[in-house]
Amino acid sequence: MVKTQTGLEGPRDDLTVIDNRTGQTYIIPIKDNTVVATDFKKIKAPSKPGEREENETERGLRVADKGFLNTAVITSQITYIDGDNGVLRYRGYPIEQLALHSSFLEVAYLLIYGSLPTKEKFGVFHREVMTHSIVHVDAEGLFKSFRYDAHPMAILSSAFSALGSFYEEANPSLRGQNLFTKTDPASLANMDKQIYRIIGKATTFAAMAYRVRQGRPFVTPPTGLSYTASFLYQMDHLGQEDYVPSPTLAKALDILFILHADHELNASCTTVLQTGSSLVDPYSCMAAGIASLYGPLHGGANEAVIRMLVSIGHPENVPAFLESVKKRERVLSGFGHRVYKTSDPRSFIIRKIADEVFKETGEDELLKTAMVLHDLAMKDEYFTSRKLAPNVDFWSGLIYRAMGFPMDFFPVLFVVPRVVGWLAHWRQMMLQPGGVKIWRPRQVYVGETKRDYVSMEQRVDVDTAEAKTRPFPVPHIGCVGTVRVDEQEIANDTTSNI
């Protein structure tokens, strides 16, 4: 029970908590509209007769928050999101202003260092990032070792993980755990060098992951082009003497990169910080973030939109599709957001970009279907009452498809700009007052209480209908001495057994 006190002393910035188990009263301070979870650990009670010892009642109250729905794990100055009102700001600047007036690398500087750069400072940052886009020749062997059909995200995560082995000076395990937390000039300079390398090589690695699957030779990053134009050059250059990527497409990609540069503590950023809290090198942190973003609930959303539109087909099929969504027979991708409860502010910007791209590439055959889906859903009370408005993924997938990117490359186009946000949060954590504390969340244990080991001969098989409590045999083809399985089961299995 939580009770607000507004007596003669007036409102106070704290909670008065009465523990009805013991009758004791506790005062929990409030700062920045936040309470500290460990303060609740002070609320203790004797264990009840027969209560599980695993509840640890006498050690203090725990706070459960499955999925981190209302848990703040860090104090940040980087990105602010007001999901109820559709607000997104980088370091206080509205995303709409940055998309209209800024460039991706300028926004990268802003996110990492906290302010918009002067011309001189931006020149240094831009030059360092572009200079560090060149990769070691040994990295080519890594990319070529992958199968031709390897997913580019698997290639990219492996590449960043391997990159850490190239730079001993970036590894706290080899150079001391305070390598990036000392905040002296040498430490800061070392940190900046790794930041330049990661941002610079993100486009190079992405292009290499694309070209190795095409059987094309790798392209050395050019000079004199913008960050996104250089990326498109490395992707598409086929030996033309005077090849220059389309300025319209390069500008569109630059704005898309701004929109995707950071989004506060989403799954991948949290993964980066969780990994970084052990003081591992930043390249391993990036690899962990890429692995998280690889998941279909995170980085695969815009790909899901395209697959949905393809499955719908023609615009006249949209009404029937929406009815099937209402019946929970189909899934509506690209609408709604975990954070935004109104509209995603990025979706309005990206809709304008789409118009410019389609003028150059021609309208995608799925665009009319997407437009009808958008219009009908926005007029349907079923979707509007549930605050299911188009998000950034609804339009970005169409733009990437129009630009010629394959669908399984869409998450890579998420990673390239997002490394900037990851690095900004990682740097902030390394430099936070009081140092870095390893992240170690608690759990609520509901498993078996203490039990004694029983030898195999004395065990009684637990007969249960739950499939998850027993192992499943895997069909093995062409292996001598293995257990025979149903022939139809073998026929249905198309995976490798190696």
Side-chain angles (χ1 to χ4, degrees):
M1 173 180 172
V2 178
K3 181 175 62 177
T4 304
Q5 283 192 350
T6 55
L8 297 177
E9 58 197 5
R12 304 187 323 198
D13 286 332
D14 58 43
L15 297 178
T16 299
V17 179
I18 300 176
D19 187 348
N20 290 326
R21 299 171 301 177
T22 62
Q24 292 197 37
T25 300
Y26 300 85
I27 304 298
I28 308 294
I30 301 173
K31 182 180 179 181
D32 296 328
N33 193 36
T34 305
V35 295
V36 178
T38 51
D39 283 344
F40 286 88
K41 195 174 182 179
K42 302 171 184 176
I43 303 176
K44 304 176 181 181
S47 298
K48 294 180 292 186
E51 183 178 5
R52 292 162 50 90
E53 63 177 323
E54 289 82 4
N55 286 350
E56 301 177 0
T57 305
E58 296 178 357
R59 301 183 191 178
L61 201 63
R62 294 172 294 197
V63 179
D65 186 7
K66 187 177 181 180
F68 302 124
L69 297 177
N70 192 37
T71 295
V73 295
I74 198 168
T75 301
S76 180
Q77 300 177 342
I78 299 171
T79 296
Y80 173 71
I81 299 173
D82 178 355
D84 291 336
N85 296 301
V87 173
L88 172 61
R89 300 184 197 134
Y90 293 166
R91 298 284 190 174
Y93 294 97
I95 190 66
E96 296 85 353
Q97 293 182 21
L98 294 173
L100 181 63
H101 301 296
S102 192
S103 67
F104 173 68
L105 282 188
E106 185 178 64
V107 168
Y109 184 105
L110 169 68
L111 287 168
I112 294 168
Y113 300 107
S115 61
L116 289 170
T118 62
K119 185 176 181 179
E120 180 182 2
K121 289 181 178 178
F122 181 70
V124 172
F125 182 73
H126 182 277
R127 182 175 63 253
E128 291 293 349
V129 168
M130 300 307 289
T131 299
H132 284 89
S133 62
I134 307 295
V135 302
H136 195 287
V137 68
D138 287 351
E140 294 186 7
L142 172 67
F143 280 83
K144 291 177 180 178
S145 68
F146 282 91
R147 285 171 53 94
Y148 71 92
D149 59 350
H151 197 288
M153 287 290 280
I155 298 175
L156 203 60
S157 62
S158 300
F160 270 102
S161 181
L163 192 60
S165 67
F166 284 63
Y167 308 117
E168 181 180 327
E169 76 276 12
N171 194 335
S173 296
L174 301 176
R175 293 296 182 91
Q177 67 179 43
N178 64 346
L179 181 64
F180 296 119
T181 60
K182 290 185 288 188
T183 70
D184 59 33
S187 176
L188 293 172
N190 188 21
M191 181 182 291
D192 280 348
K193 190 173 185 179
Q194 313 319 316
I195 290 172
Y196 302 148
R197 283 169 169 166
I198 289 171
I199 300 174
K201 289 171 175 51
T203 51
T204 309
F205 277 173
M208 291 173 73
Y210 172 78
R211 293 182 72 96
V212 74
R213 301 174 74 215
Q214 307 294 322
R216 298 176 182 176
F218 302 129
V219 175
T220 301
T223 58
L225 296 179
S226 69
Y227 187 77
T228 50
S230 173
F231 178 38
L232 292 176
Y233 182 96
Q234 294 176 70
M235 292 276 292
D236 297 331
H237 183 251
L238 295 175
Q240 306 95 317
E241 186 173 342
D242 299 317
Y243 173 70
V244 177
S246 161
T248 300
L249 300 186
K251 178 60 177 177
L253 196 59
D254 193 79
I255 296 175
L256 286 167
F257 278 9
I258 291 174
L259 301 182
H260 285 102
D262 189 49
H263 210 235
E264 204 220 64
L265 292 192
N266 50 42
S268 56
C269 185
T270 304
T271 301
V272 168
L273 295 181
Q274 175 91 46
T275 306
S277 73
S278 73
L279 297 180
V280 72
D281 67 272
Y283 302 96
S284 296
C285 293
M286 297 301 108
I290 293 169
S292 176
L293 203 148
Y294 191 1
L297 290 183
H298 192 6
N302 47 21
E303 181 180 348
V305 170
I306 298 300
R307 296 190 186 280
M308 175 191 68
L309 294 173
V310 169
S311 71
I312 295 172
H314 299 289
E316 56 266 27
N317 298 331
V318 171
F321 169 77
L322 290 177
E323 289 303 314
S324 65
V325 171
K326 295 177 185 179
K327 297 176 183 176
R328 300 184 181 276
E329 296 172 353
R330 304 284 293 276
V331 175
L332 181 64
S333 300
F335 283 72
H337 196 276
R338 168 77 176 265
V339 173
Y340 298 113
K341 304 308 178 186
T342 52
S343 57
D344 185 337
R346 300 169 297 175
S347 65
F348 300 108
I349 303 167
I350 210 168
R351 179 67 187 90
K352 296 177 182 178
I353 301 172
D355 291 336
E356 297 300 317
V357 170
F358 293 143
K359 284 179 183 178
E360 177 144 337
T361 64
E363 283 193 2
D364 189 295
E365 59 186 14
L366 296 179
L367 179 61
K368 291 181 179 179
T369 302
M371 291 297 296
V372 172
L373 177 63
H374 171 275
D375 293 343
L376 291 182
M378 289 296 90
K379 296 175 183 177
D380 193 315
E381 191 272 340
Y382 178 90
F383 299 105
T384 57
S385 65
R386 290 166 171 77
K387 299 182 179 179
L388 295 176
N391 58 39
V392 69
D393 299 308
F394 185 77
W395 298 112
S396 64
L398 286 167
I399 295 174
Y400 292 149
R401 175 180 157 99
M403 293 176 69
F405 293 108
M407 278 199 295
D408 63 359
F409 201 76
F410 290 179
V412 174
L413 299 170
F414 203 154
V415 167
V416 172
R418 187 52 61 87
V419 298
V420 166
W422 294 342
L423 287 168
H425 287 276
W426 171 79
R427 183 179 186 271
Q428 178 181 251
M429 184 171 71
M430 292 299 108
L431 302 179
Q432 67 187 356
V436 179
K437 187 176 182 65
I438 193 168
W439 290 15
R440 178 62 169 87
R442 296 293 307 275
Q443 66 169 5
V444 179
Y445 178 75
V446 295
E448 298 286 347
T449 57
K450 181 182 178 181
R451 49 183 176 174
D452 295 321
Y453 181 84
V454 179
S455 65
M456 189 173 293
E457 293 76 15
Q458 296 177 312
R459 294 174 198 166
V460 177
D461 189 23
V462 179
D463 187 16
T464 174
E466 288 192 70
K468 65 182 181 181
T469 61
R470 62 179 184 273
F472 281 83
V474 176
H476 295 272
I477 302 173
C479 298
V480 179
T482 58
V483 177
R484 296 179 65 85
V485 294
D486 184 76
E487 291 182 2
Q488 186 60 43
E489 186 178 1
I490 294 176
N492 293 336
D493 187 278
T494 59
T495 60
S496 171
N497 293 298
I498 299 176

